[in-house]
Amino acid sequence: MKAALAAALLLGACASLPPPGCTALSTTTRYCLQPLPAGHTVAVNQLVDMQFPGRPAGERLVFAIDATDARMQIVGLNPLGQTVFRLGVNHGQTQWDGPPAAEALARQLPALVQLMLWPADSVRQGLSRDAALRVAPDGRRLHDRDGTLLLDTRQSDPDPRLGQVDAVFTPLDARWRVTRLAD
Amino acid sequence: MTRRSFLLAALAGLAGVMLARPLWADEALLQEIATRVADAPVLRAEFSQTKTLAALRKPFRLAGRFTYAREAGVLWQVDTPYPARYLIGREGMVEIGPDGQRRAQSGREAAGVARAGQILQALLGADLAPLQSAFVLDASRQGEGWRVTLTPRSAELARHLARIELAGHDAVEQVDLFEAGGDHTEIRFTAIARATQLTAAEAALFAR
């Protein structure tokens, strides 16, 4: 009985937390990581210029991304090619190997990458039901149910894995420029 | 330790000493390598770097050029796939932006970068003696050239780095870094040229 009560209390306490594999994008919208559709794979190296509040100089990293089905690896490299972090996702479970100070932000990284790069249908399946994703050849716009803009991307190629993507993540006030590096 | 295990350990140690090559052979070869390589105050070369990440299919490639100045450090200039310039010295690493603005690494990462800078500078100059406190050096001849394998002495460093291999003739021509996690970085140097002094442009970049 005591155990059941403790479990009930614990569940109640966790009700507002997103479940494993899911990221809260706003108070009403979450995104749960999605596997790539059968037959799809992603293996790209991207130069990512990031700007955050309080960091006007920004950060420049290379993301080496490799994804198949429900597994995704993101390795962050500095521009000299030294590994800064390694993030693995396997069926929604994330594994972080990098600076502890960056872990909280980095755990949102797979969701941000998928929102920008994954096939639109897969992204829709991972979003809360009342979120609105509009996809056009030149970008994506994601609003929550209140109409608040959560993500705005502009892409140079209809396939966001190619070319350049400029993204604004409104909740984080973060701006990214993602450029695919030639093979 | 029991008497029997102590004896076994002592025998194993003795066998190790007997099987190992004489220490002086490595030291003579290391000295010869240092003499062959470090005979110019300035060294310039082009580099191509390939990083193969464990469990990732696509390698990451960089290419560019560097200037090694024995007294000042290394100017590392990436040309492709994006332009980037770094000054790497014993004090650490400074990024030089397209506008010439300099940005020093800070925080915990800076200490690691400074250490990597020291190692890089020592590797490019084949100034291997200072590395002997951190690495076990194993040198061998490869035809007209040579190869040196550096294996970390400390367990802490070995958690990250399995070994470094250097190879060359009259200069360091290839560096291979094998990380403990399975990542492998290969850096090849070509168009290697020696000089007695920096150009004015290089000197301006090295001036801090």
Side-chain angles (χ1 to χ4, degrees):
Chain A
M1 183 69 186
K2 269 186 180 175
L5 184 60
L9 286 170
L10 188 63
L11 281 173
C14 294
S16 59
L17 292 175
C22 299
T23 300
L25 303 174
S26 72
T27 52
T28 59
T29 302
R30 69 172 55 149
Y31 177 73
C32 297
L33 296 174
Q34 294 299 300
L36 278 169
H40 283 59
T41 65
V42 173
V44 291
N45 295 325
Q46 298 179 320
L47 181 66
V48 184
D49 289 297
M50 294 172 276
Q51 288 189 317
F52 295 96
R55 300 288 296 272
E59 293 288 343
R60 168 173 272 200
L61 287 175
V62 171
F63 287 174
I65 303 172
D66 196 308
T68 310
D69 301 326
R71 293 188 305 125
M72 174 164 52
Q73 286 254 14
I74 305 174
V75 179
L77 307 164
N78 70 18
L80 286 170
Q82 296 169 310
T83 302
V84 177
F85 67 81
R86 185 182 283 271
L87 182 66
V89 180
N90 195 348
H91 291 88
Q93 298 294 315
T94 59
Q95 193 170 19
W96 167 254
D97 180 11
E103 182 172 358
L105 187 63
R107 285 193 179 276
Q108 301 182 25
L109 195 55
L112 302 183
V113 168
Q114 290 197 2
L115 288 168
M116 285 192 298
L117 302 183
W118 256 225
D121 288 344
S122 298
V123 173
R124 285 195 179 93
Q125 285 178 23
L127 285 167
S128 307
R129 202 177 304 164
D130 44 9
L133 176 69
R134 283 193 297 175
V135 177
D138 64 346
R140 298 179 175 187
R141 289 169 75 86
L142 173 64
H143 292 84
D144 70 9
R145 71 177 177 202
D146 304 325
T148 304
L149 182 64
L150 301 175
L151 170 68
D152 187 6
T153 71
R154 291 282 176 269
Q155 58 202 47
S156 64
D157 190 284
D159 183 345
R161 291 167 299 176
L162 309 173
Q164 188 168 285
V165 179
D166 286 299
V168 180
F169 299 104
T170 312
L172 299 174
D173 196 15
R175 293 168 185 275
W176 288 12
R177 169 162 286 186
V178 181
T179 309
R180 183 185 172 128
L181 299 175
D183 294 342
Chain B
M1 184 181 278
T2 63
R3 183 184 171 87
R4 187 174 175 217
S5 61
F6 177 80
L7 189 62
L8 285 171
L11 284 171
L14 181 60
V17 170
M18 292 170 71
L19 290 171
R21 283 179 297 163
L23 189 61
W24 59 264
D26 262 8
E27 287 189 346
L29 182 53
L30 288 171
Q31 184 58 49
E32 180 189 325
I33 293 166
T35 305
R36 286 170 70 175
V37 169
D39 65 347
V42 175
L43 189 71
R44 298 186 185 91
E46 296 173 1
F47 71 86
S48 62
Q49 176 178 328
T50 302
K51 181 155 191 163
T52 307
L53 295 154
L56 272 71
R57 288 166 287 176
K58 196 174 284 291
F60 173 57
R61 294 189 174 89
L62 290 174
R65 59 219 140 89
F66 77 85
T67 302
Y68 161 76
R70 198 163 54 201
E71 303 303 325
V74 181
L75 173 62
W76 196 263
Q77 305 190 80
V78 178
D79 293 329
T80 58
Y82 44 75
R85 286 187 297 184
Y86 292 88
L87 274 176
I88 303 163
R90 291 191 163 81
E91 307 82 30
M93 182 168 75
V94 174
E95 181 181 1
I96 306 174
D99 54 358
Q101 195 153 350
R102 293 167 184 236
R103 190 163 69 130
Q105 298 283 327
S106 60
R108 277 184 60 187
E109 196 185 347
V113 168
R115 181 71 185 131
Q118 290 167 8
I119 293 174
L120 178 66
Q121 202 169 344
L123 295 179
L124 291 174
D127 180 16
L128 302 174
L131 298 178
Q132 297 213 43
S133 60
F135 296 95
V136 175
L137 273 56
D138 179 27
S140 61
R141 294 185 190 279
Q142 306 272 308
E144 294 293 304
W146 49 266
R147 175 174 292 274
V148 180
T149 302
L150 297 88
T151 308
R153 290 184 188 275
S154 74
E156 187 185 353
L157 185 54
R159 275 210 308 271
H160 306 286
L161 180 66
R163 68 185 189 280
I164 301 172
E165 293 182 5
L166 297 180
H169 290 80
D170 291 335
V172 177
E173 292 162 10
Q174 184 165 332
V175 177
D176 287 273
L177 290 96
F178 296 90
E179 295 177 40
D183 294 353
H184 169 216
T185 301
E186 176 195 277
I187 310 174
R188 288 175 180 270
F189 302 112
T190 54
I192 299 166
R194 290 178 168 78
T196 54
Q197 60 184 22
L198 295 169
T199 64
E202 289 168 339
L205 287 170
F206 274 111
R208 298 189 184 210

